[in-house]
C-alpha cells in the first residue's frame, strides 16, 4: 500500500511540474511579444498574437469597432486599410503595409480553441512622422573682460509640428534640452556644438564650430558680408551712369545748337547779300521800292540769339561796304 501511494504521489508531482513548466514557457513566449509597436509613416508592420495556433476554431482582428480580418473569411475592404492588409491563416498574424498616421491605435486579436474562448490580445501601434530636416542651430556669445571668457548661448530648433527631443553634444558631454549655455575661453580654441533631434523612429543632427575671442562687434548682429554692400555699389554705378548721360546730352545739345546757328548765319548772310544787291540796283535805277526792301530786311530780324547776332554782323558788314 505504501508503494502505491508513493508512486501516486510521484505521478502527481510530475504532472504538476509539467503544468508549471508549460505555463512558464507560455508566459515567456507571451512576454516576448511586443504589445506596443512604434513605426514610421510608410513602413510595414506585422502584428502577432503570440498565442498557440493548435486547435484554433475562431480567430479575428478588430480595429476600433470594425473586424478587419477573420479566419476562413475573405478580407473586408470596407475600412481604411483597403488594399494594405495581409492575413496569415496559419499563424493568424496580420500585416499592414504603407502605414499612415491614422493607422495608430489598438488592434484586438480574439480567438477560441476547441471548448473555450481565449483572452483578447491587445497590441498598440504608434505610427510616427520621420524627421526629414536638420535642426537649425543659433549661436550668440558674450565676452567677459573681468575673467577673459565667453558665455555661449545656443538654441536648437526643429519644425514646429515635430514632436522631438533635443540633445547637445560638446566634447564628451551630453546635455538634454533645446537651449544650451556654455562657458568658453580663448585658449580652448574651436569648440564643436552638435544638436541632435530625435523621435522614437528617426533622428537628425546639425553642428557648428565656434571659438571665444574679445570681439568688439555685437555678436547678436550678423557680420556684414560682400552681399550687404551690393545695393550701395549698384546705387553708385547708376548715379555715375546718370551723370555721364547728362553730360553727353549737354555736349550733344551744344554741338547741335552751334551747327544750327552756323547754318542760320550762312542763310542770313546770303539773304543780306541779295538784299544789298537789290538796294544797289534800285539806287542805280532810282527805284522807289528801296524803302520797302530795306524795311523787309529789317523786319526779318528776330529775337533769336543766333539771328540777332547774324543780323547785326551783316548790318556792320553792309556799312563797311557802303
Amino acid at each position: 500500500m505504501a508503494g502505491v501511494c508513493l508512486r501516486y504521489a510521484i505521478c502527481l508531482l510530475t504532472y504538476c511540474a509539467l503544468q508549471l513548466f508549460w505555463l512558464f514557457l507560455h508566459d515567456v513566449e507571451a512576454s516576448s511579444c511586443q504589445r506596443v509597436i512604434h513605426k514610421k509613416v510608410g513602413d510595414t508592420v506585422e502584428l502577432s498574437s503570440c498565442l498557440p495556433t493548435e486547435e484554433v476554431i475562431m480567430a479575428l482582428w478588430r480595429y476600433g469597432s470594425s473586424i478587419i480580418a477573420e479566419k476562413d473569411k475573405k478580407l473586408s475592404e470596407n475600412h481604411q486599410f483597403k488594399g494594405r492588409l495581409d492575413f496569415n491563416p496559419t499563424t493568424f498574424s496580420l500585416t499592414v503595409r504603407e502605414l499612415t498616421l491614422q493607422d495608430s491605435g489598438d488592434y484586438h486579436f480574439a480567438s477560441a480553441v476547441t471548448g473555450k474562448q481565449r483572452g483578447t490580445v491587445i497590441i498598440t501601434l504608434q505610427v510616427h512622422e520621420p524627421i526629414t530636416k536638420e535642426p537649425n542651430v543659433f549661436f550668440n556669445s558674450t565676452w567677459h573682460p573681468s575673467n577673459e571668457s565667453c558665455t555661449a548661448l545656443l538654441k536648437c530648433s526643429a519644425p514646429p509640428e515635430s514632436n522631438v527631443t533635443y540633445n547637445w553634444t560638446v566634447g564628451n558631454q551630453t546635455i538634454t534640452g533645446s537651449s544650451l549655455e556654455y562657458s568658453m575661453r580663448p585658449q580652448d580654441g574651436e569648440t564643436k556644438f552638435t544638436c541632435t533631434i530625435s523621435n522614437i523612429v528617426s533622428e537628425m543632427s546639425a553642428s557648428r564650430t565656434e571659438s571665444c575671442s574679445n570681439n568688439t562687434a555685437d555678436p547678436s548682429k550678423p557680420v556684414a558680408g560682400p552681399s550687404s554692400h551690393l545695393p550701395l555699389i549698384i546705387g553708385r554705378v547708376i548715379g555715375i551712369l546718370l551723370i555721364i548721360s547728362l553730360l553727353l546730352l549737354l555736349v550733344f545739345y551744344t554741338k547741335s545748337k552751334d551747327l544750327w546757328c552756323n547754318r542760320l548765319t550762312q542763310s542770313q548772310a546770303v539773304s543780306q547779300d541779295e538784299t544789298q544787291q537789290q538796294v544797289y540796283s534800285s539806287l542805280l535805277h532810282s527805284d522807289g521800292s528801296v524803302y520797302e526792301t530795306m524795311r523787309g530786311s529789317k523786319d526779318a530780324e528776330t529775337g533769336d540769339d543766333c539771328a540777332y547776332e547774324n543780323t547785326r554782323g551783316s548790318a556792320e558788314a553792309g556799312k563797311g561796304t557802303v
Side-chain angles (χ1 to χ4, degrees):
M1 179 66 73
V4 174
C5 292
L6 181 60
R7 274 186 285 177
Y8 178 77
I10 292 173
C11 291
L12 181 61
L13 289 173
T14 303
Y15 175 79
C16 292
L18 289 174
Q19 289 291 329
L20 290 174
F21 182 72
W22 183 87
L23 290 174
F24 173 77
L25 289 178
H26 175 73
D27 290 340
V28 169
E29 182 183 21
S31 62
S32 64
C33 292
Q34 289 181 283
R35 299 305 183 192
V36 178
I37 300 175
H38 295 275
K39 291 289 183 178
K40 63 177 178 289
V41 173
D43 279 352
T44 297
V45 64
E46 182 178 358
L47 307 178
S48 175
S49 67
C50 294
L51 294 177
T53 59
E54 295 81 7
E55 300 182 352
V56 173
I57 59 175
M58 185 275 293
L60 61 86
W61 284 95
R62 189 175 71 253
Y63 179 79
S65 58
S66 301
I67 296 176
I68 58 177
E70 188 171 1
K71 181 180 181 294
D72 300 329
K73 289 187 179 181
K74 186 178 179 180
L75 286 174
S76 173
E77 298 290 342
N78 189 24
H79 47 66
Q80 69 187 55
F81 306 98
K82 182 178 180 179
R84 298 189 291 126
L85 287 182
D86 287 319
F87 179 67
N88 190 318
T90 303
T91 62
F92 310 119
S93 63
L94 181 71
T95 301
V96 187
R97 302 183 305 275
E98 300 175 11
L99 290 173
T100 67
L101 295 176
Q102 291 72 30
D103 296 336
S104 298
D106 293 334
Y107 292 76
H108 300 256
F109 177 75
S111 62
V113 294
T114 304
K116 68 175 181 178
Q117 176 86 24
R118 296 192 296 187
T120 300
V121 176
I122 301 175
I123 299 178
T124 301
L125 174 65
Q126 293 292 333
V127 183
H128 305 269
E129 193 76 51
I131 300 172
T132 58
K133 186 178 179 182
E134 291 183 356
N136 295 318
V137 179
F138 302 93
F139 175 84
N140 192 7
S141 66
T142 303
W143 170 258
H144 304 291
S146 58
N147 57 2
E148 296 185 346
S149 66
C150 296
T151 297
L153 298 175
L154 295 100
K155 175 72 175 178
C156 187
S157 66
E161 67 275 7
S162 302
N163 184 17
V164 299
T165 57
Y166 297 85
N167 287 292
W168 290 95
T169 302
V170 186
N172 296 326
Q173 303 180 52
T174 301
I175 303 99
T176 302
S178 60
S179 300
L180 174 65
E181 183 174 325
Y182 192 80
S183 180
M184 306 167 60
R185 293 181 179 276
Q187 56 267 32
D188 296 337
E190 293 186 338
T191 302
K192 184 178 181 180
F193 300 91
T194 301
C195 173
T196 301
I197 56 174
S198 61
N199 57 22
I200 201 163
V201 295
S202 59
E203 68 176 34
M204 293 197 79
S205 300
S207 302
R208 70 183 294 167
T209 302
E210 301 291 344
S211 59
C212 175
S213 63
N214 184 10
N215 191 352
T216 56
D218 186 355
S220 63
K221 296 181 180 179
V223 179
S227 60
S228 63
H229 299 296
L230 188 60
L232 181 61
I233 296 174
I234 294 176
R236 289 180 178 178
V237 171
I238 293 175
I240 293 173
L241 291 176
L242 286 175
I243 293 174
I244 294 174
S245 300
L246 291 175
L247 290 175
L248 291 175
L249 288 174
L250 181 60
V251 171
F252 177 77
Y253 172 75
T254 303
K255 289 185 177 181
S256 299
K257 183 178 179 182
D258 291 343
L259 180 61
W260 181 78
C261 288
N262 290 336
R263 290 181 178 178
L264 183 60
T265 301
Q266 294 175 1
S267 176
Q268 289 184 349
V270 172
S271 177
Q272 287 290 338
D273 292 341
E274 292 178 354
T275 303
Q276 289 177 3
Q277 292 294 331
Q278 292 178 2
V279 170
Y280 297 152
S281 177
S282 299
L283 287 175
L284 291 175
H285 297 84
S286 300
D287 192 350
S289 60
V290 175
Y291 175 75
E292 283 76 4
T293 302
M294 294 179 65
R295 187 177 66 179
S297 174
K298 187 70 175 177
D299 291 341
E301 297 179 0
T302 64
D304 184 77
D305 293 341
C306 293
Y308 174 74
E309 294 295 333
N310 294 333
T311 303
R312 192 174 73 174
S314 300
E316 291 176 354
K319 284 183 180 181
T321 305
V322 174

